[in-house]
Amino acid sequence: MKRSERRELYANVLKWFMENVPSPSTELHYDSPFHLLIAVILSAQCTDKRVNMYTPDIFRRFPDPKTLAEASFEEVYSLISSISFPNNKARHLIGMAAMLCDRFSGEVPSDPEELTELPGVGRKTANVIASVIYSKPVIAVDTHVFRVSGRIGLSDGKTVNAVEKELTENIPPEMRADAHHWLILHGRYVCTARKPKCDKCGLKEWCREYRTSNITI
């Protein structure tokens, strides 16, 4: 795709989202930066809806990093046993809380690079926290963002980092936080992995895959 064509594609897609989804937000429930960090770690390979079922009890039991850092593995595990990969996530949560206490005075850092030093926090999670809590101009690329970006034609990247780089280069800083949610929600409810709902998609006019595939609507 020529650079001019890609610029036009981005302009049309972003304009549609701004007009039709003016106030996107995370579907994870939280009441503090620390609790959002817990929720995002738990959401890895798990639905937000399922995570939201269990976080109220977790938040009540662990209102701050200190209480979680002092918790036993067994206690944390018992609260998240119905969430995917509870063994690893229980260890990550306790380690994350301990590092927040030891290195960051109990505060969730705003810098994505510092966030990735925390157990259980990869680049995607770090960018979510930096974007949602601190309004940093970063874009978190999860499976939905990766899939939708490729299908529409926003990116030809073959890796998460490549897609993140291309989206960052083409989306204005002040729109990146919203763009992250736009693409996630579009992938979650419209441009789904197995059966995309092209008949309900307002972006099909500009979607590369829709124009070139044999999808039947």
Side-chain angles (χ1 to χ4, degrees):
M1 183 182 296
K2 295 179 181 178
R3 182 174 297 182
S4 60
E5 293 175 334
R6 179 144 299 170
R7 281 200 300 267
E8 183 178 3
L9 172 63
Y10 269 88
N12 286 325
V13 169
L14 293 174
K15 182 175 184 291
W16 185 88
F17 276 128
M18 283 189 292
E19 292 175 349
N20 292 276
V21 193
S23 302
S25 63
T26 180
E27 293 188 313
L28 288 170
H29 299 165
Y30 68 99
D31 54 16
S32 70
F34 173 60
H35 283 163
L36 179 61
L37 182 53
I38 289 176
V40 178
I41 290 174
L42 291 175
S43 71
Q45 295 181 280
C46 187
T47 65
D48 289 1
K49 182 178 180 180
R50 187 162 189 80
V51 170
N52 289 336
M53 293 170 58
Y54 296 94
T55 47
D57 287 341
I58 297 169
F59 295 167
R60 279 193 293 269
R61 175 61 188 86
F62 307 117
D64 51 49
K66 185 175 185 295
T67 52
L68 180 54
E70 294 174 348
S72 67
F73 170 84
E74 290 74 20
E75 181 180 13
V76 177
Y77 179 88
S78 69
L79 291 170
I80 66 170
S81 60
S82 296
I83 294 175
S84 60
F85 305 104
N87 282 289
N88 287 339
K89 289 178 180 178
R91 294 188 183 92
H92 287 157
L93 289 175
I94 295 169
M96 173 272 291
M99 185 176 287
L100 285 180
C101 293
D102 294 341
R103 293 190 53 187
F104 300 103
S105 302
E107 299 294 327
V108 176
S110 62
D111 181 73
E113 297 304 320
E114 291 183 333
L115 283 162
T116 58
E117 297 176 18
L118 298 168
V121 177
R123 187 175 183 85
K124 184 210 78 173
T125 298
N127 282 355
V128 170
I129 299 300
S131 172
V132 173
I133 298 298
Y134 299 110
S135 300
K136 297 284 186 178
V138 294
I139 295 180
V141 177
D142 68 353
T143 55
H144 296 302
V145 175
F146 188 89
R147 179 178 67 255
V148 172
S149 298
R151 283 180 175 172
I152 294 175
L154 299 176
S155 174
D156 296 317
K158 304 302 181 184
T159 67
V160 168
N161 287 347
V163 172
E164 180 187 331
K165 182 176 184 293
E166 196 157 7
L167 293 175
T168 301
E169 289 174 348
N170 288 281
I171 297 175
E174 67 276 10
M175 296 178 65
R176 290 173 192 163
D178 283 348
H180 160 71
H181 294 303
W182 283 332
L183 294 170
I184 283 179
L185 296 172
H186 196 68
R188 187 172 290 165
Y189 298 113
V190 181
C191 193
T192 52
R194 294 185 179 180
K195 293 183 178 180
K197 301 176 177 65
C198 297
D199 57 323
K200 299 179 180 179
C201 181
L203 297 174
K204 63 189 176 196
E205 177 181 351
W206 307 289
C207 177
R208 174 172 60 188
E209 185 159 323
Y210 177 77
R211 293 197 310 268
T212 60
S213 71
N214 293 317
I215 293 176
T216 301
I217 63 171

